Amino acid sequence: MAKSEETRSLIVTTAMRLFTENGYNRTTMRAIAAEAGVSVGNAYYYFSSKEQLVQGFYDEMAGQHLAAARPLLDGETGFAARLKAVLLCWLDVAEPYHRFGTQFFVNAADPESPLSPFSTDSTAAREASIGLMREVVEGSDVKLDPELRAQLPELLWLYQMGVVLFWVHDRSARTNRSRLLVERTVPLLARLAALSRLRVFRPVSREIVSLVEDLAKRD
């Protein structure tokens, strides 16, 4: 890893720890720089604001998740098994940051906030996650309505956002309730997806596709 990447990663890691320990709003860029052992100017060189730091965290999380999940997909063609492996892997990767999740959620839940997973600022992390869901679909043996296939990766990402929301509020040991949610809902999603190939169910699946397309349109 290049020195600049090491410094950037160090700043992000330090910020996440301080956000968790002290709260997002009470943690300053100066405190983050001091704890990371870099100058304030150097911290601002990599991140112009705390919001950008969180975006850096999103990007690092997406990268860690991608690296950890891809080996789990090798040799596995079952759609449900692939999706479950990817989602449980995300819970494993995110586990050390669970306390931080509750800190930033208030800000991220604001649709006008750059921390929102739906914001323009979050595009890179969002597209990386949707891309991973596309790998889940394309590498599986599931038979789908062709129109649903094109939209399914984004629908699965939206489902993952629901899992993330549940995870933020999950206070069970090792977030076991979130794991149960994945274990129980993925087979249901897989069955619904497989039904889309049947002619009798195609009007329903295409209505879902139409709804997603309309909601994705910008005013």
Side-chain angles (χ1 to χ4, degrees):
M1 184 182 295
K3 180 65 175 178
S4 61
E5 292 178 352
E6 288 182 355
T7 302
R8 188 180 189 277
S9 182
L10 172 63
I11 294 171
V12 170
T13 302
T14 302
M16 295 311 108
R17 178 166 57 80
L18 292 181
F19 289 158
T20 301
E21 293 173 356
N22 305 324
Y24 176 78
N25 293 325
R26 293 193 298 274
T27 302
T28 65
M29 288 291 286
R30 183 174 297 278
I32 293 167
E35 188 72 14
V38 301
S39 68
V40 176
N42 203 13
Y44 275 110
Y45 171 79
Y46 290 99
F47 303 99
S48 63
S49 65
K50 289 196 298 182
E51 288 80 9
Q52 278 205 349
L53 266 169
V54 177
Q55 291 300 334
F57 169 68
Y58 287 168
D59 293 340
E60 288 212 0
M61 276 284 294
Q64 290 177 26
H65 183 211
L66 186 63
R70 273 182 170 159
L72 302 177
L73 300 178
D74 291 343
E76 177 59 69
T77 59
F79 174 66
R82 289 170 69 85
L83 180 58
K84 183 169 68 173
V86 163
L87 292 169
L88 292 178
C89 179
W90 187 90
L91 292 173
D92 289 336
V93 171
E95 182 64 26
Y97 309 104
H98 188 237
R99 285 182 58 202
F100 171 64
T102 62
Q103 294 286 339
F104 82 87
F105 177 72
V106 173
N107 294 291
D110 180 356
E112 300 299 324
S113 170
L115 303 183
S116 167
F118 299 93
S119 72
T120 301
D121 299 75
S122 300
T123 297
R126 181 172 62 252
E127 289 185 348
S129 295
I130 292 174
L132 180 56
M133 289 302 181
R134 187 170 292 110
E135 291 183 34
V136 168
V137 175
E138 296 304 324
S140 76
D141 55 10
V142 66
K143 301 297 189 295
L144 300 167
D145 176 1
E147 290 192 20
L148 178 62
R149 178 177 290 273
Q151 294 292 340
L152 188 55
E154 187 167 355
L155 288 170
L156 293 177
W157 175 75
L158 290 172
Y159 162 64
Q160 182 181 346
M161 291 300 97
V163 172
V164 172
L165 175 60
F166 188 90
W167 171 81
V168 166
H169 294 279
D170 187 357
R171 294 295 176 269
S172 61
R174 201 171 174 267
T175 58
N176 282 329
R177 291 178 65 222
S178 298
R179 297 172 190 278
L180 178 63
L181 176 67
V182 170
E183 295 275 1
R184 298 284 291 273
T185 57
V186 163
L188 295 176
L189 287 175
R191 291 174 194 167
L192 290 173
L195 287 174
S196 71
R197 76 184 188 279
L198 302 178
R199 188 177 300 276
V200 68
F201 288 104
R202 284 192 178 181
V204 175
S205 67
R206 294 188 176 183
E207 185 63 29
I208 293 172
V209 169
S210 176
L211 173 61
V212 172
E213 291 175 341
D214 288 343
L215 291 176
K217 292 176 182 177
R218 296 290 183 263
D219 292 334

